[in-house]
Each structure stands twice: as structure tokens, then as C-alpha cells.
Amino acid sequence: QKEVEQNSGPLSVPEGAIASLNCTYSDRGSQSFFWYRQYSGKSPELIMSIYSNGDKEDGRFTAQLNKASQYVSLLIRDSQPSDSATYLCAAYTGGGNKLTFGTGTQLKVEL
Amino acid sequence: NAGVTQTPKFQVLKTGQSMTLQCAQDMNHNSMYWYRQDPGMGLRLIYYSASEGTTDKGEVPNGYNVSRLNKREFSLRLESAAPSQTSVYFCASSELPNEQYFGPGTRLTVT
């Protein structure tokens, strides 16, 4: 069983809408969580990190963490076509300085 | 400040050939990582180096070796390439707590 699960998508949203990307994890010891954006043919780019329960906002991005439900989400407000990419969720369990990645959700923002 | 650099960008090998993928970072990070990314499988950790002088196996180490040459450089060697090693290889580095930054990747094809 994959330790970090994401729906592969594609998730299609119209331009200007809110895109909601979700991630669940199985290891209750996971301490911190990260969202990466990966454009086709490019490398993953870190866009958000969250370490405690609640919301963290950065521009149009909001990361939400609920450790009781083992759930992490990324909201993208005012979605733009340039947001079309695959979004990878990653969890850090504190052992060996390693991250565990989900397989990613493909987001398509349509004009 | 180049961040994480990788060479080569593309490589085609015949089965049984060997090669070394090079990675360097200029962010003075202690930890470095090698991942492979395959369609539908997400990012899988091959080897990592938590600090200079140490290396450890990740999720899929078979068929690979690594060398942490110094704090800046971390190389990945394929001793006898197999078609199953056709993949995109990413190097990453991090300080703490585990916000990893990725290089541009190497696309490897083994025929």
C-alpha cells in the first residue's frame, strides 16, 4: 500500500475557479508535508510546505493539514492556465531525512 | 546561484553498459538524494546521503551505486544497465526540515 495517496486525475477546472487537490497518508508519525508542482517534462518544484494542523496561505495557494484525519489538501484560488501541471504531495516521517511522494494529481485549467 | 545541476540531460545506453550520472548543488545543503520517476509510479528514492560521508539505500537501490564525493556532489552509477532502468532520474538536495530542491533531471533510455 502506497503511504501517500493521491487521485491521479485529471482534475479539470475553469479559469478563475478554485482547484482543490487532496492527499491522504497512512503513517501517523508523518511530521511535515510538502506540495510540489511538476510541469510536463520538467522537474518538481516546491510550492508549499506545512508543518502543523490548520491552514497556511501563500499568495493564491493554501495548504491545509488535518493530522487527525491524515489528510492534506492544496487549494489554488483564481486558477490560471499556467497552473496546469501535476501536483505531487509528499510526507516526511522523520526517519532518515526522507520524503515519501504520492503519484501526483494532474490539474488542467481550461479557458 | 545554479541550485542543483545534473549531467547529462539525455543518455541512451545499450544493455550491459555502465554510466555515471553526476549531480552538484551550490546551496550548501547537507542532504542529497537520487530518485527515479516512471509513469504511474511517482518518484521513488534510489539512494540518499543525509550528510557528507554517509549514504543509505532508499526504496529501489538494486542495480545502482552512489558516491558522495564531497558536500556539493553526489553521483549515481549504473554498473550494468538494464531496460528496466529506463527512466527519468532526478537529484535533489535539502537542508532541513526536508524541503527538497530538485535538479532538471536526466532522461535515460536503455535499449
Side-chain angles (χ1 to χ4, degrees), chain B residues 26-86:
Chain B
D26 62 4
M27 296 176 283
N28 202 36
H29 286 166
N30 280 309
S31 301
M32 298 185 73
Y33 311 83
W34 276 105
Y35 292 91
R36 61 178 289 174
Q37 188 174 39
D38 303 291
M41 302 292 289
L43 282 164
R44 292 184 291 170
L45 184 64
I46 304 171
Y47 270 94
Y48 67 102
S49 172
S51 60
E52 186 179 358
T54 69
T55 60
D56 285 285
K57 294 178 180 179
E59 183 183 352
V60 288
N62 291 345
Y64 305 95
N65 285 300
V66 291
S67 295
R68 183 74 183 266
L69 304 169
N70 47 55
K71 191 172 185 179
R72 289 187 63 247
E73 299 173 287
F74 189 37
S75 63
L76 178 72
R77 183 161 178 83
L78 286 69
E79 291 290 353
S80 179
S84 61
Q85 294 178 306
T86 293

Side-chain angles (χ1 to χ4, degrees), chain A residues 2 32 34 36 38 40-46 49 51 56 88 92 95-99 101-104, chain B residues 31 33 35 37 40-43 45 48 50 57 59 90 94-95 97-105 107:
Chain A
K2 189 74 175 176
S32 48
F34 305 88
Y36 286 81
Q38 186 174 24
S40 180
K42 301 295 186 182
S43 59
E45 173 193 8
L46 179 65
S49 55
Y51 303 98
K56 179 182 177 183
L88 305 173
Y92 173 54
N97 222 27
K98 297 177 290 183
L99 291 179
F101 284 85
T103 53
Chain B
S31 301
Y33 311 83
Y35 292 91
Q37 188 174 39
M41 302 292 289
L43 282 164
L45 184 64
Y48 67 102
K57 294 178 180 179
E59 183 183 352
F90 289 106
S94 74
E95 193 47 44
N98 230 295
E99 295 185 349
Q100 294 185 15
Y101 297 90
F102 284 79
R107 294 183 180 278

Side-chain angles (χ1 to χ4, degrees), chain B residues 3-16:
Chain B
V4 180
T5 57
Q6 292 183 237
T7 56
K9 286 187 168 50
F10 301 93
Q11 184 72 48
V12 179
L13 292 178
K14 294 188 188 308
T15 297

